[in-house]
Amino acid sequence: FACGLWAGAGWHRRYRPFVDAFCVELQGRGHLSSALVLRWFQGHLQRCLGAVRYRLQERCRISLSVCAGRPPTLHIVPCSDYVCCHISMAVRLIPAIPLGDALYLTALPPEGPLEPLATETLWDLNTSRQEQRLLNWLKEQTPASSCHLKCLQILKGLRDLRGMGLEEPFCSQWGQVLSSYVLKTALFSLLLQVPLEAWDERFLVERLEDLVLYLRDCLRKQMLMHFFLGNTSLPEAVVLPRFLKEAAPVNLLANFDRHTLDLTAFQLISTWIQAPHVIRMYSSPRYLRP
């Protein structure tokens, strides 16, 4: 999504510091730049980090991982003598603009090849609240031992393991095409096509294969539609804001060329066929990351 600025006469002069710091011009119109907002956000986080460390130094060690063009990650490691909790955490910090109805525009870089200036102006639509509503509904409708979330976890794991053995530039393309959001969207779409009782854990392998084949078909057709934008097939129990219901459908694979998608589909099926070998090979100590 692009966040265009509708400004009256004199607005740019009156708010010149804001315009210079956060806006870019695209097709003759001012847009709020996700890249500039993210850069500003990272700078403020780094300046505040010292104060946070000082207040929590007896409880945990805090560090910030910053990569240009990507949201920063806050790492929290409890001190060994702090008995309350010994769980380390990594929290991705993402600036967001509230739209109302639990919808947010977030400064996440878009997946797929785009012009640099276009990338700077694009914002991601966060529908996590709607996803949670869907998951709550599925929890009520599926068997108690449903395997749908486990299927998603396994597929993500296979994607990551296969990615270790790929060379650039396809390694990056593999991760972009099969992003976690794409995998999740494929799962949600398949869940509404297969009888919900068929997701019992007894059928884990069958449902996982269904998910792989469904995703392969989407890649071959170059089409996987956003699950919430303009989707008229959602269960009535999953209430959507008007903005989502009336939005035009969006193809999540539209920015990728046919060759990349065909190659990804081929590698996906190859990974599924060789899954036991891939898991054994890349789970060895040689490939385990610290």
Side-chain angles (χ1 to χ4, degrees), residues 1 225-226 228-231 242-251:
F1 285 82
M225 306 309 294
H226 192 287
F228 293 106
L229 288 172
N231 189 349
R242 181 179 176 182
F243 172 80
L244 293 181
K245 289 190 291 187
E246 297 181 354
V250 173
N251 180 10

Side-chain angles (χ1 to χ4, degrees), residues 192-206:
L192 299 187
Q193 299 181 26
V194 176
L196 293 178
E197 60 270 16
W199 289 90
D200 189 277
E201 193 163 9
R202 293 174 297 161
F203 310 116
L204 172 64
V205 175
E206 291 89 339

Side-chain angles (χ1 to χ4, degrees), residues 139 142-146 200:
K139 186 176 181 180
T142 54
S145 58
S146 177
D200 189 277

Side-chain angles (χ1 to χ4, degrees), residues 20-289:
D20 291 342
F22 301 115
C23 299
V24 295
E25 187 170 307
L26 182 64
Q27 297 178 347
R29 182 181 167 196
H31 288 75
L32 185 63
S33 168
S34 57
L36 293 178
V37 169
L38 182 59
R39 193 179 308 159
W40 168 85
F41 183 68
Q42 289 176 340
H44 275 271
L45 283 176
Q46 290 173 314
R47 284 190 286 272
C48 296
L49 192 60
V52 176
R53 280 180 178 149
Y54 177 76
R55 291 178 64 89
L56 299 176
Q57 60 183 339
E58 296 181 359
R59 300 182 181 182
C60 56
R61 297 190 303 276
I62 295 179
S63 61
L64 188 68
S65 298
V66 177
C67 179
R70 306 294 302 182
T73 301
L74 187 69
H75 299 275
I76 305 172
V77 181
C79 296
S80 58
D81 57 347
Y82 191 66
V83 297
C84 175
C85 178
H86 293 284
I87 300 176
S88 300
M89 292 187 293
V91 183
R92 195 164 56 156
L93 304 174
I94 307 171
I97 301 174
L99 299 178
D101 292 322
L103 293 172
Y104 296 87
L105 291 179
T106 58
L108 279 174
E111 303 289 354
L114 291 170
E115 293 295 327
L117 186 57
T119 301
E120 282 192 24
T121 62
L122 290 180
W123 294 74
D124 186 59
L125 179 65
N126 182 283
T127 57
S128 56
R129 184 70 63 85
Q130 287 70 36
E131 291 173 15
Q132 192 58 52
R133 290 172 184 164
L134 175 66
L135 290 172
N136 290 340
W137 178 80
L138 288 170
K139 186 176 181 180
E140 296 174 354
Q141 304 299 319
T142 54
S145 58
S146 177
C147 64
H148 61 281
L149 294 180
K150 189 173 291 185
C151 286
L152 182 60
Q153 293 170 347
I154 293 173
L155 189 54
K156 285 182 179 180
L158 288 174
R159 173 203 61 191
D160 295 342
L161 289 174
R162 170 57 81 185
M164 294 180 184
L166 299 175
E167 297 181 357
E168 294 293 354
F170 182 62
C171 179
S172 296
Q173 295 169 344
W174 168 263
Q176 290 174 350
V177 174
L178 299 182
S179 67
S180 294
Y181 194 79
V182 163
L183 299 186
K184 182 167 53 176
T185 300
L187 174 66
F188 287 164
S189 301
L190 186 62
L191 276 162
L192 299 187
Q193 299 181 26
V194 176
L196 293 178
E197 60 270 16
W199 289 90
D200 189 277
E201 193 163 9
R202 293 174 297 161
F203 310 116
L204 172 64
V205 175
E206 291 89 339
R207 296 294 79 78
L208 185 56
E209 183 174 30
D210 286 345
L211 180 56
V212 170
L213 295 178
Y214 177 80
L215 190 53
R216 178 205 61 184
D217 292 343
C218 290
L219 294 170
R220 287 179 173 177
K221 296 174 183 176
Q222 299 178 276
M223 184 175 293
L224 177 63
M225 306 309 294
H226 192 287
F227 189 74
F228 293 106
L229 288 172
N231 189 349
T232 59
S233 303
L234 287 174
E236 293 183 2
V238 182
V239 180
L240 292 183
R242 181 179 176 182
F243 172 80
L244 293 181
K245 289 190 291 187
E246 297 181 354
V250 173
N251 180 10
L252 299 180
L253 303 178
N255 290 327
F256 299 99
D257 61 76
R258 173 173 289 279
H259 174 72
T260 299
L261 295 179
D262 285 345
L263 186 55
T264 302
F266 173 80
Q267 284 290 347
L268 177 64
I269 293 300
S270 175
T271 301
W272 172 245
I273 294 173
Q274 303 176 45
H277 172 72
V278 171
I279 293 172
R280 284 196 305 270
M281 179 176 180
Y282 292 108
S283 296
S284 65
R286 175 184 174 186
Y287 289 96
L288 291 178
R289 298 174 181 173

